[in-house]
Amino acid sequence: MPKPDTLPSSFRPAANASAASPASPSTLVTPVGGADGRVRAVVEAVLPCVDGGRFAAKRVAGEPTRITAHCFTDGHDVLRVALQWWRDRDGNANTAPAEATEVAMEASGNDEWVADFTPPEPGLYRYTVSAWVDPFESWRRELERRVDPQDIRVAARVGAAEALAAAQRASAARDRSDLTDWAQALERGAQAEGDADMLKALALDEAAAAAMRRHPDRRFEVRYPDALPLRADRERARYSTWYELFPRSTSPTAGVHGTFRDVEARLADIAAMGFDVLYFPPIHPIGREQRKGKNNALAAGPDDVGSPWAIGAREGGHKAILPELGTVQDFRRLVVAAKEQGLEVALDIAFQCAPDHPYVKEHPDWFRWRPDGTVQYAENPPKKYQDIYPFNFECDDWRGLWGELKSVFEHWIGEGVRIFRVDNPHTKAFPFWEWVIAEIQRDHPDTIFLAEAFTRPKVMHGLAKRGFTQSYTYFTWRNTKHELTEYFTELSTGPGSEYFRPNAWPNTPDILHEHLQGGEPAVFMARLVLAATLAASYGIYGPAYELLEHLPRGPGSEEYLDSEKYQLRHWDLERPGNLRAFITRVNQIRRENPALHADHRLRFLHVDNDQLLAYMKHSADGRNIVVTVVNLDPHHPQSGWLRLSAADIAATAPSTSDMPASQPAPPPADWQMHDLLSQQRFVWQGDAHYVLLDPHRSPAHVFVVRRRVGRHDDFDHFE
Amino acid sequence: MPKPDTLPSSFRPAANASAASPASPSTLVTPVGGADGRVRAVVEAVLPCVDGGRFAAKRVAGEPTRITAHCFTDGHDVLRVALQWWRDRDGNANTAPAEATEVAMEASGNDEWVADFTPPEPGLYRYTVSAWVDPFESWRRELERRVDPQDIRVAARVGAAEALAAAQRASAARDRSDLTDWAQALERGAQAEGDADMLKALALDEAAAAAMRRHPDRRFEVRYPDALPLRADRERARYSTWYELFPRSTSPTAGVHGTFRDVEARLADIAAMGFDVLYFPPIHPIGREQRKGKNNALAAGPDDVGSPWAIGAREGGHKAILPELGTVQDFRRLVVAAKEQGLEVALDIAFQCAPDHPYVKEHPDWFRWRPDGTVQYAENPPKKYQDIYPFNFECDDWRGLWGELKSVFEHWIGEGVRIFRVDNPHTKAFPFWEWVIAEIQRDHPDTIFLAEAFTRPKVMHGLAKRGFTQSYTYFTWRNTKHELTEYFTELSTGPGSEYFRPNAWPNTPDILHEHLQGGEPAVFMARLVLAATLAASYGIYGPAYELLEHLPRGPGSEEYLDSEKYQLRHWDLERPGNLRAFITRVNQIRRENPALHADHRLRFLHVDNDQLLAYMKHSADGRNIVVTVVNLDPHHPQSGWLRLSAADIAATAPSTSDMPASQPAPPPADWQMHDLLSQQRFVWQGDAHYVLLDPHRSPAHVFVVRRRVGRHDDFDHFE
């Protein structure tokens, strides 16, 4: 046994842990994973985490990102836990670099630890968590409970050893000397057999503790094996309001091909309606070979303009502009003019070729050739799409193909575009998307990609995991209360909520849902309110939507009659009954209510009528609460009792685990419901509230909830 | 463009994929993860998977293990998916070895794929999933839908190219020549411009398809990045019935120290009660220094026998036997005699030392020394446990310590023991457990470890993840309907159900729950039925349990008065009112009903009385259904309406996704409930059923559900 006056080995100042292991007979003893066997802390379940770290969770730059982990150790020792995060500039940094930022994590109960970090700018980040058993804190916590004088003396000497070890670790000379002094004082006090209470007070000295905490013993630190990726986007990735427009239909004169200059004249109007993204179908030269005619006729007439998605002709391909729309200078001017109105131009990227696309001649190896010497066009037997040649992603020159397709994005980024709506990404190889989005966002972190994939759930999720910033959804086909409740509950709370950002569209040039084909304004209004308040990002295909365009090409068809996809249209924007004022108001409500700027924190409310859908959203700080009620029946007034209690409203306040500093507000006895559509105000109290919506007046309430701040029953006292 | 009569490059017979890539200008184009860019298939979400593959899921050897995965690709091509599994003998094989077994996975809808494999024997296994786009199957599916003669001719030539490529891949000469012949026939048919229907029939020829399927084009196969671990145990890991006994209290003569020979005399009786594991507290020499007296008194008298958990004295330590119990020969004889009765002996491994344990002198470096030259005993200030020295898992010679502790398990394995109940594992380092269990199970795959950790949930789960076969639970403290429902729903369906196997104990030598302290037989019976039917593994500490031992050491204490932990006891096994017959019957019911042999497939049933708890379990094949109803009130008869419908019973039949071959049985109009405790039989029909349980007669029903097989209302026609 060691003599009392020599420090036993376990109290020797820390040397390098791995070097400290003596030769042992059991040289085959190696912990699973290969760490030092003395590492006793455990880190598990670091969140957010998508597919075990294979894909990035998505957040927004400038906003706190909450990281949680399960950390514990054997026995009762005190654990310390730290979050490390860093910008990952090359996309594969799995170990924390020297410039990683470290943040102490706090225990939030049940062995769960929590910390926030705020990605300062758009980009890819990584984070990991490390933990260690803290001998000093463990010693200090035990000391606080000690009462026996002899125990306190022994503990003081243990503390002295810890202090000497910390002094050796200290880089600052001041800490070094302070800790050495403190260690000597503790030793002297322990030897002196004097007042144990005074010795305990010395051992619990706060200044000494602070110095000790600056030099923790992290020899036996464990680090979570994965550095998890997190993609921070700019705010528009989370909250955006899209307007889709065919530039060729914007001429003020019927029958004349619209131009970018014509679009410029529309910008103020579109911005005034409250949109912030202006999205164009493809603007490239349109193939002449196999061109489709009006209403998708197999043969085009000489005046037919063709489908913008049949990309490429002798004038050029994916980097060229259809001459009828204008020049590249016109396009640049338009991008700048839009920006001045608060509108961002989004382009449609459809990676497919018309038969006369220059690629077909220049890169025949990018296409699949049939034994009869023709190119394999798109088909789904017996259906054929002879005007579309898909790329062959299994071609030998896949590297050349990928590089060229990437350069298409880069070309338009060079022209000032930062938002791309990608056409049918689910018919192109998944590894390509993962690569190209990472490449583009590495160099241009503010780029946004919207996936137009209307396909099976796992395929849509697969695209979102691989980098698409936003995704089209099934919203267009979800109409009943049950469908909408189930779908948006999944979107807002399911695993996809970490990476799949819905962008809800009541219509698109491809989808005129049966529901809209009756042309009732109440349906158009209800569907718009649903999209605009259920989803933080939504869009309409206009002017078809605000003008209540509703005739299908034929019975059972979801295609528009005389669709702009195949012909010019001339829209009478002032047509009576148009929804422009309504859309303007809804978008204004969206802008003014942060509750509607995120997809999380959505909660459906019970109404005892299946035609009435009600839900509540609130802002991260709990200060803005919006309750929307929609009558899904366009024909009849519907009424019912909506359940909403003071406790429900109080629950929107950030909980202590969400925001440690604040306290939940006491539940109000009553509160005001201010319908931002009708400007009516109601005072509600209790748990059940009568609501009635007449679709001939308004199919929806969009209430902001105002809490009572005054003591009297006076509307002015809500805020 | 290639000439029609030369095969374009995309139809060239397969060469090595990575070698086939030509030099490209975009040499920097590398897919994320580094695979070939032409690999278009995706494999995600392979299950079961614990913490992203960090830990093993647990199953039983000889039983089918279901593996699922999400697999898809872009577009509409046909995917093929295969499961590979293999025995991992060295514990770190992350890539499939040559001897891996491959099983085709079947699509079960929604891009989910499924296959089963059956681990043939206990051990560690790994599995992974690979998928590839199958050009032949894609071609064949499209061909089936083709109608245009020219399309069929072109398709035939495409098929011919695929067949030639397959012929090159074929190892069997017969397939090679058959496929070459078929390719030539297809080419000739396509050139001949003859009957397209005949050509289509030739192209869809089943024998040719079978040959093609023997040589699939797997150049662009993707493999899931992880080989997931799965631990297959023997059946007793899933289903076991434990009896804990202090050997020293088995002497037929009061006041005499019991021996292994005395235990031998008890074996037939314990086996007859239906137990299959006989577990002893530590059997080692008991320390004399700081020995505790009766009822945990600080000072022991000269005749006090001490606590078996104060391990080690001059006679030896963890590998020695307390001389009073007998010799090692006696122990060996006991192990064999127990086995003959169908009982397996389980030992208690408590890694801690009495002050006079030989380790303290021989390996002082394995303990934490205090500056006053004493060893740091266990304490939780101000509580002190001077009779227990914990090991210091942070000692420099941790390798030596780990190796020695491992050798303790190996020693007893050498003496025929294969089940270890580990004392307080949560106070020893986690990496040690992960290592030692993997080491032991690698060499002795039939070893079972039960973790005695009554601590925080994540710590208990952390131990189970790191290898403990079974775990003690909170059952002992879960008494109300709400508590039991919530806890066992979590255990049977939560993430822990992949790795945490509960072993439920109504009492232990450390825990006499307040609930039992009234001594009512109904409480003891109800708690036993709950443990035995809610958990597939359960145990009792006897004879205290069957003799209704219920006096605590003092008010508010969970310790037994005159606990065997500190003194000899003499039990009157025939004491009137003992529960031996009842326990025997419950264990017989367990043995005869496979529904009770697993923790999954537990479903709680609604009863409109909070004192009545009801639940249903069924066997994997759906043929055995057990419904248990327990009256939680020991004082009063309780009655209520239990909800159970014909559809609920029909739902226990294996679904098509569980067992593809079978069909769900049509719901019976009525069925028989046979109470295996009272032998009463009831015919139930409809959805709600009256139940009444008088605790003074029986606090529980354990019904087996018999489906009607005859057409008449005759009890004999249920089975």
Side-chain angles (χ1 to χ4, degrees), chain A residues 4 11-12 38 40 44 75 110-111 146 151 369 371 379 384 394 396 399 426 456 458 465-466, chain B residues 1 4 11-12 29 38 40 44 75 111 146 151 369 371 379 384 394 396 426 456 465-466:
Chain A
F11 294 101
R12 274 197 302 248
R38 292 167 291 184
R40 293 163 48 220
E44 296 184 348
N110 195 18
D111 294 311
R146 291 191 189 280
D151 286 347
W369 291 83
E379 60 175 341
K384 303 177 179 185
E394 286 183 358
D396 286 347
R399 285 195 167 85
H426 57 295
R456 308 186 307 280
K458 291 184 178 59
K465 286 179 191 174
R466 283 164 181 81
Chain B
M1 289 195 201
F11 294 101
R12 273 196 304 246
V29 173
R38 292 168 292 184
R40 294 162 49 219
E44 296 184 346
D111 295 311
R146 290 190 190 281
D151 284 349
W369 291 84
E379 61 174 341
K384 303 177 180 187
E394 285 183 358
D396 287 346
H426 57 294
R456 309 187 307 280
K465 287 179 190 174
R466 283 165 182 80

Side-chain angles (χ1 to χ4, degrees), chain B residues 303-635:
Chain B
D303 296 333
D304 276 333
V305 290
S307 161
W309 285 273
I311 294 170
R314 60 174 173 264
E315 295 86 354
H318 285 75
K319 298 174 189 170
I321 289 174
L322 180 72
E324 289 84 341
L325 289 174
T327 64
V328 66
Q329 285 76 21
D330 293 334
F331 181 75
R332 288 174 190 161
R333 216 179 103 132
L334 174 61
V335 168
V336 171
K339 191 163 288 175
E340 284 166 3
Q341 299 278 357
L343 277 167
E344 240 186 291
V345 167
L347 286 192
D348 190 327
I349 299 295
F351 283 141
Q352 57 193 21
C353 297
D356 38 339
H357 193 298
Y359 286 156
V360 180
K361 283 215 174 68
E362 294 164 12
H363 295 282
D365 44 341
W366 292 350
F367 301 88
R368 199 178 281 277
W369 291 84
R370 309 199 303 173
D372 62 352
T374 61
V375 173
Q376 175 68 61
Y377 46 77
E379 61 174 341
N380 187 14
K383 287 190 193 167
K384 303 177 180 187
Y385 309 92
Q386 292 99 332
D387 58 336
I388 301 292
Y389 285 1
F391 291 110
N392 175 16
F393 280 84
E394 285 183 358
C395 71
D396 287 346
D397 185 30
W398 59 272
R399 285 193 167 85
L401 173 63
W402 286 24
E404 174 63 19
L405 299 184
K406 176 186 164 191
S407 78
V408 170
F409 287 113
E410 286 171 329
H411 175 84
W412 295 107
I413 286 171
E415 299 296 352
V417 177
R418 287 294 184 282
I419 306 186
F420 298 99
R421 176 269 199 196
V422 175
D423 190 77
N424 276 336
H426 57 294
T427 60
K428 287 92 194 174
F430 289 86
F432 165 69
W433 292 121
E434 185 170 16
W435 172 81
V436 78
I437 294 173
E439 288 276 309
I440 295 292
Q441 290 189 331
R442 184 192 59 205
D443 298 335
H444 308 283
D446 54 347
T447 312
I448 289 173
F449 295 87
L450 166 63
E452 188 245 9
F454 293 112
T455 180
R456 309 187 307 280
K458 291 184 179 60
V459 176
M460 291 174 67
H461 278 247
L463 290 164
K465 287 179 190 174
R466 283 165 182 80
F468 280 94
T469 320
Q470 300 184 347
S471 304
Y472 279 69
T473 70
Y474 302 142
F475 167 74
T476 322
W477 299 276
R478 295 292 178 271
N479 291 286
T480 68
K481 180 172 179 171
H482 174 74
E483 288 168 352
L484 288 162
T485 303
E486 188 176 59
Y487 187 49
F488 279 89
T489 298
E490 177 201 321
L491 287 172
S492 59
T493 65
S497 64
E498 294 292 4
Y499 57 82
F500 186 97
R501 291 198 189 98
N503 192 330
W505 292 68
N507 74 328
T508 79
D510 296 314
I511 314 167
L512 171 67
H513 189 272
E514 183 186 10
H515 210 65
L516 297 173
Q517 295 180 8
E520 295 94 345
V523 178
F524 280 72
M525 292 162 77
R527 294 295 295 171
L528 186 102
V529 168
L530 289 168
T533 57
L534 281 169
S537 289
Y538 91 104
I540 59 171
Y541 153 53
Y545 203 81
E546 67 260 32
L547 298 182
L548 309 171
E549 183 82 358
H550 62 274
L551 294 182
R553 189 189 297 161
S557 170
E558 283 192 347
E559 290 279 343
Y560 279 95
L561 178 67
D562 299 331
S563 169
E564 288 181 286
K565 292 198 294 184
Y566 309 103
Q567 67 189 77
L568 304 186
R569 288 292 300 270
H570 182 71
W571 300 104
D572 174 7
L573 298 175
E574 305 302 329
R575 190 193 295 173
N578 74 67
L579 298 181
R580 292 166 65 198
F582 183 77
I583 293 170
T584 303
R585 180 64 192 144
V586 168
N587 285 339
Q588 184 188 1
I589 292 169
R590 271 168 62 84
R591 205 165 42 243
E592 292 169 359
N593 287 278
L596 302 176
H597 297 188
D599 293 307
H600 306 284
R601 300 184 296 270
L602 168 66
R603 190 184 145 199
F604 287 92
L605 304 176
H606 180 79
V607 191
D608 60 352
N609 178 337
D610 277 352
Q611 294 294 339
L612 292 177
L613 178 69
Y615 44 92
M616 174 163 69
K617 288 179 108 171
H618 65 274
S619 59
D621 63 6
R623 296 180 62 171
N624 180 239
I625 307 172
V626 172
V627 171
T628 306
V629 189
V630 180
N631 179 0
L632 301 173
D633 174 359
H635 304 295

Side-chain angles (χ1 to χ4, degrees), chain B residues 266-289:
Chain B
R266 293 281 327 273
L267 291 174
D269 188 48
I270 295 165
M273 277 197 285
F275 294 96
D276 53 26
V277 179
L278 176 59
Y279 146 51
F280 303 140
I283 59 173
H284 317 300
I286 296 171
R288 290 178 186 85
E289 283 185 37

